């Protein structure tokens, strides 16, 4: 081997070691970056004594896709559970203190107390006051639910805008990857950036990807709708300015294909968008229907009856008064419009004694025809009717036959069951997301100890190459001296 060849080999080794050291230093510097994928400097021989360094990412497509799926599932379930917590507090209050069930229980106690001393008009006034609390619970619950749906609608609009922005950023990153791949330059940073954006996209909708030539990536949703192919597909949504009971929410479209909220309390849909849809059109709407059925049950239970006239509204009235709502049929918005009949309300000029005697709708409805002060049959009957089974609309999620009092309690039980299931699933999906992220990091992330050990090996290699160059230099100096 000639001295010039030896010098060339030593220089090539020094250059290769320098590039390897640079890669290791970069790994150490980005060790704490969760979106950074460890680089490896692969050294290959291109000619006798010559070396080339190629930088490669330690990517794992299988683990990355598993992490994307887990992130999407957790995001959807988390949005559902967090929203349900807020909804419960808004409608039922702390420990269900402001729930219709609690208010109805208090009304029933007031009725029973009045029935023990029907001559005491103050106890009659207490019943009317308790009825007002029931009405307030239903009215305020309806408002809270519809305000919540409007808020969820606004969150959906924001999420759609964010998703469109992320898709635009993905397009830029994808272009950088394609351009770098075609020119043969290192695209590691561009790939990291593209993967980081893809993780954020998966939090909004579940994604599936495949890569074409020049590292060009295509994104589809879980159901096969194209989300990105060369250019982003449009994600559209028109928010509503407000909601009322029974009003359906607008649909989210991806490339003109509607986004599904999934099925079941443990929503099969993934991603934040699906979770918000489930809240707005599933959980919240079902709660509203249950409140409407409670209100209908109260109007029915306290209706005045007559042997010669049709049943008419009593203590509780509604927009269709004096008629009674049809049995077993949901009336959208009834909980928001139910009120205490002014005929019974002393603050409105009414007489609470009508509860004891009947006759708010005329003489045909008077039950206490003798005018006895100790008459309590109607009061006992009203209290009993709160516990008597009646027909409720099966679409409200509660199918157990019960009275309106138990139905209101079952509504709380239904919600608590759904919320508990959502909490359990949110915890399990969060754990899965954490485990897949950890597995991905262990396989593709940076181990600082390992990098420092590699850096020490490179230092020894650098020293050996430098020593070789010095030896060749000394030999050349000796040769020049001999020639001179």
């Amino acid at each position: 081997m000639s001295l010039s060849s030896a010098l060339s080999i030593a220089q090539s080794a020094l250059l290769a070691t320098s590039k390897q050291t640079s890669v290791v230093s970069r790994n150490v510097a980005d060790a704490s970056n969760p979106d950074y994928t460890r680089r490896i400097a692969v050294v290959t021989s291109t000619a006798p004594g010559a070396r080339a360094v190629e930088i490669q990412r330690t990517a794992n497509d299988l683990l990355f896709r598993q992490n994307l799926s887990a992130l999407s599932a957790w995001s959807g379930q988390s949005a559902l559970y967090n929203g349900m917590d807020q909804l419960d507090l808004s409608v039922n209050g702390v420990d269900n203190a402001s729930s219709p069930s609690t208010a109805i229980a208090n009304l029933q106690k007031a009725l029973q107390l009045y029935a023990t001393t029907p001559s005491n008009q103050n106890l009659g006034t207490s019943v009317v006051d308790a009825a007002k609390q029931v009405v307030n619970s239903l009215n305020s619950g309806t408002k809270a639910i519809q305000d919540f749906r409007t808020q969820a609608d606004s969150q959906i609009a924001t999420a759609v805008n964010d998703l469109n922005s992320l898709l635009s950023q993905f397009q830029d990153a994808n272009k950088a990857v394609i351009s770098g791949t075609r020119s043969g330059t290192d695209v590691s940073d561009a790939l990291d950036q593209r993967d980081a954006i893809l993780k954020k996209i998966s939090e909004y909708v579940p994604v599936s990807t495949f890569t074409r030539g020049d590292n060009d990536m295509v994104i589809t949703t879980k159901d096969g709708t194209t989300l990105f192919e060369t250019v982003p597909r449009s994600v559209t949504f028109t928010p509503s300015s407000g909601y009322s009971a029974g009003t359906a929410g607008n649909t989210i479209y991806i490339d003109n294909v509607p986004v599904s909220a999934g099925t079941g309390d443990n929503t099969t849909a993934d991603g934040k968008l699906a979770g918000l849809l489930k809240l707005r059109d599933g959980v919240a709407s079902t709660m509203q229907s249950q409140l409407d059925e409670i209100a209908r049950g109260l109007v029915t239970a306290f209706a005045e009856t007559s042997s010669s006239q049709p049943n008419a509204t009593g203590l509780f009235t509604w927009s269709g008064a004096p008629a009674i709502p049809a049995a077993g049929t949901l009336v959208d918005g009834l909980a928001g419009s139910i009120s205490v009949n002014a005929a019974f309300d002393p603050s409105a000029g009414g007489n609470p004694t009508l509860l004891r005697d009947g006759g708010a709708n005329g003489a045909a409805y008077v039950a206490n025809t003798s005018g006895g002060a100790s008459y309590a049959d109607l009061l006992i009957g009203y209290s009993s009717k709160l516990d008597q089974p009646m027909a409720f609309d099966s679409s409200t999620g509660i199918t157990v036959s019960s009275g309106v009092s138990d139905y209101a309690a079952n509504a709380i039980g239904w919600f608590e069951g759904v919320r508990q299931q959502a909490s359990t699933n949110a915890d399990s999906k969060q754990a899965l997301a954490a485990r897949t992220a950890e597995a991905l990091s262990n396989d593709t992330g940076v181990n600082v100890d390992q990098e420092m050990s590699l850096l020490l090996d490179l230092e020894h290699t650098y020293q050996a190459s430098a020593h070789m160059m010095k030896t060749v230099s000394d030999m050349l100096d000796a040769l020049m001296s001999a020639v001179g």
Side-chain angles (χ1 to χ4, degrees):
M1 178 186 297
S2 66
L3 291 180
S4 59
S5 297
L7 183 61
S8 176
I9 292 172
Q11 288 175 332
S12 178
L14 281 174
L15 183 60
T17 303
S18 176
K19 289 182 179 180
Q20 287 177 288
T21 302
S22 177
V23 170
V24 172
S25 298
R26 173 71 188 282
N27 286 341
V28 173
D30 281 301
S32 60
N33 183 355
D35 296 321
Y36 179 80
T37 301
R38 179 174 178 260
R39 274 50 158 176
I40 299 176
V42 179
V43 181
T44 56
S45 297
T46 58
R51 298 180 181 182
V53 177
E54 179 185 357
I55 299 176
Q56 297 180 355
R57 296 167 74 241
T58 57
N60 187 318
D61 288 342
L62 177 60
L63 287 177
F64 183 66
R65 290 178 182 178
Q66 289 177 343
N67 184 233
L68 290 179
S69 178
L71 282 173
S72 188
W74 175 37
S75 180
Q77 197 68 40
S78 178
L80 181 63
Y81 173 65
N82 292 336
M84 290 174 70
D85 256 3
Q86 177 187 343
L87 191 58
D88 182 41
L89 188 61
S90 300
V91 176
N92 295 322
V94 179
D95 295 329
N96 300 315
S98 59
S99 68
S101 178
T102 300
I104 291 173
N106 292 334
L107 172 62
Q108 197 164 22
K109 290 177 183 177
L111 275 169
Q112 291 167 352
L113 185 59
Y114 188 23
T116 62
T117 315
S119 60
N120 189 336
Q121 290 193 23
N122 290 332
L123 294 179
T125 301
S126 295
V127 173
V128 174
D129 290 340
K132 288 180 179 180
Q133 290 302 313
V134 173
V135 166
N136 180 66
S137 176
L138 292 168
N139 292 167
S140 61
T142 294
K143 183 179 185 305
I145 289 173
Q146 300 313 319
D147 286 348
F148 177 85
R149 295 186 71 204
T150 302
Q151 179 184 345
D153 212 60
S154 177
Q155 291 175 344
I156 291 172
T158 300
V160 166
N161 290 336
D162 291 344
L163 179 55
N164 281 319
S165 176
L166 287 170
L167 289 172
S168 179
Q169 294 173 39
F170 185 89
Q171 181 182 19
D172 294 338
N174 193 57
K175 285 181 178 178
V177 170
I178 295 173
S179 177
T181 301
R182 288 174 178 172
S183 63
T185 58
D186 178 26
V187 294
S188 298
D189 287 344
L191 288 170
D192 276 355
Q193 182 185 12
R194 190 173 71 175
D195 285 353
I197 297 171
L198 192 57
K199 285 183 183 179
K200 293 178 181 178
I201 291 173
S202 71
E203 294 179 10
Y204 291 89
V205 288
V207 297
S208 180
T209 65
F210 65 91
T211 305
R212 304 185 294 194
D214 295 329
N215 271 326
D216 180 20
M217 182 173 283
V218 176
I219 309 175
T220 63
T221 62
K222 192 176 182 179
D223 59 5
T225 304
T226 301
L227 194 60
F228 178 91
E229 184 178 8
T230 307
V231 295
R233 295 300 192 265
S234 178
V235 184
T236 57
F237 173 73
T238 303
S240 299
S241 57
Y243 278 88
S244 58
T247 302
N250 289 330
T251 303
I252 305 170
Y253 293 95
I254 297 177
D255 200 21
N256 294 320
V257 178
V259 174
S260 170
T263 57
D265 299 332
N266 175 30
T267 177
T268 56
D270 298 327
K272 185 176 182 178
L273 290 181
L276 290 173
L277 285 175
K278 181 70 175 179
L279 276 173
R280 187 196 67 183
D281 300 331
V283 178
S285 291
T286 300
M287 286 187 73
Q288 179 63 63
S289 296
Q290 291 170 358
L291 291 186
D292 291 337
E293 281 293 84
I294 292 171
R296 186 182 62 79
L298 288 168
V299 173
T300 302
F302 283 86
E304 289 197 326
T305 61
S306 168
S307 59
S308 60
Q309 299 292 327
N311 291 356
T313 54
L315 179 60
F316 295 100
T317 188
W318 66 302
S319 59
I324 303 300
T329 304
L330 175 67
V331 179
D332 289 323
L334 181 53
S337 63
I338 189 174
S339 61
V340 171
N341 195 329
F344 296 84
D345 185 3
S347 66
N351 183 7
T353 306
L354 292 174
L355 270 170
R356 181 194 69 187
D357 301 336
N361 293 280
Y365 294 89
V366 174
N368 184 16
T369 55
S370 65
S374 61
Y375 183 81
D377 290 359
L378 270 184
L379 298 175
I380 294 172
Y382 288 142
S383 181
S384 298
K385 283 182 179 179
L386 289 174
D387 294 324
Q388 289 176 3
M390 62 175 64
F392 290 100
D393 195 304
S394 60
S395 66
T396 62
I398 301 174
T399 57
V400 178
S401 177
S402 65
V404 64
S405 180
D406 285 341
Y407 185 89
N410 289 336
I412 293 178
W414 172 86
F415 184 83
E416 290 301 326
V418 172
R419 187 175 68 159
Q420 181 58 48
Q421 186 65 37
S423 174
T424 301
N425 291 322
D427 289 342
S428 63
K429 290 179 180 181
Q430 180 182 19
L432 179 60
R435 285 197 297 270
T436 56
E438 182 180 4
L440 182 63
S441 177
N442 290 338
D443 191 68
T444 66
V446 176
N447 183 315
V448 176
D449 292 337
Q450 180 181 346
E451 297 300 316
M452 296 307 293
S453 176
L454 180 57
L455 195 60
L456 185 61
D457 291 340
L458 290 173
E459 182 181 354
H460 293 159
T461 301
Y462 187 89
Q463 290 173 349
S465 299
H467 182 69
M468 181 178 178
M469 286 193 68
K470 186 177 183 308
T471 301
V472 172
S473 178
D474 291 343
M475 293 175 68
L476 284 173
D477 289 343
L479 181 61
M480 294 300 293
S481 297
V483 173

